Amino acid sequence: MINITNLHKSYQMGKNSLHVLKGIDFKVGEGELVAIMGSSGSGKSTLLNIIGMLDVANEGTYTLDNVPIENLDETKAAKYRNKFLGFIFQSFNLINYKTALENVALPLYYQGKKRDVRQEKSLEYLEKVGLKKWATHLPSELSGGQKQRVAIARALVSQPKVLLADEPTGALDSTTSNEVMKLIQEINNEGKTILVVTHEEEIALMCKRVVRLKDGVIVEDTLVNQKKAI
Ligand code: ADP
Ligand code: MG
């Protein structure tokens, strides 16, 4: 599904350049649930943003579902992003003045889907995350965990091939984090490929595979249950 070889990324800051990713080789197959671990500043978000086509690498190759991701103009990148990827963020990124249902419906609106289709699909996905009754509520009327579940429904509504989550439990208490991760596990059990960036060990251990970044390279790649290097 994801195939990355020799990926490098530097940030230019004036005269200085910060070499964040220093030759990443990383493959993810369909149906995997992978945690990307590492301390703050280790390049987790940078890697996820490149995978999400929100940023570009300086060197290396990246193919997503056998499509080479390189030299894309913004229109094409946006098209692939909509087709392939769903995003979940630490801060939920919901639109405050829109209801839960309207937030979930937004990707369908951008895809030009008709109103009744948007309504029906959005309700279906709200039900999936256990929030059908909350459809008409605004984000300000929802708890953190509920907001993240709305964001998960929004990420799923366009049926992406891969779900990318950057610290999805970073703003939640441990009980709620656990609930959100259980939902992510359920979605993975239905076959969705999911990448979760986290710096929390407990969260990583709820995934099937843990990849650890340090000093710009992958220093560990382990299957969680078997505890075996791959
Ligand atoms: P993580 O998500 O693991 O905390 P990041 O990928 O966000 O790490 O950042 C890795 C390093 O790159 C950090 O030192 C950060 O300050 C730097 N960095 C991230 N984004 C930018 C940017 N847009 N410009 C300059 N430096 C950046
Ligand atoms: Mg980060």
Side-chain angles (χ1 to χ4, degrees), residues 39-46 49 90 166-167 197 199:
S39 53
S40 176
S42 60
K44 305 182 295 296
S45 295
T46 301
N49 288 344
Q90 174 172 355
D166 196 347
E167 308 265 6
V197 160
H199 62 268

Side-chain angles (χ1 to χ4, degrees), residues 26-75:
F26 183 44
K27 274 195 176 76
V28 179
E30 194 167 352
E32 284 202 68
L33 174 54
V34 186
I36 300 174
M37 289 278 290
S39 53
S40 176
S42 60
K44 305 182 295 296
S45 295
T46 301
L47 179 59
L48 203 75
N49 288 344
I50 292 171
I51 293 172
M53 288 182 261
L54 299 168
D55 201 350
V56 288
N58 303 111
E59 207 185 306
T61 63
Y62 168 30
T63 60
L64 176 57
D65 203 27
N66 294 318
V67 177
I69 305 301
E70 55 188 11
N71 304 323
L72 298 179
D73 60 44
E74 188 42 45
T75 317

Side-chain angles (χ1 to χ4, degrees), residues 98-118:
K98 288 193 181 291
T99 64
L101 185 86
E102 289 165 344
N103 268 284
V104 175
L106 217 54
L108 301 175
Y109 177 81
Y110 289 123
Q111 285 176 6
K113 295 279 192 295
K114 293 213 172 70
R115 193 183 157 80
D116 53 340
V117 174
R118 299 201 304 259

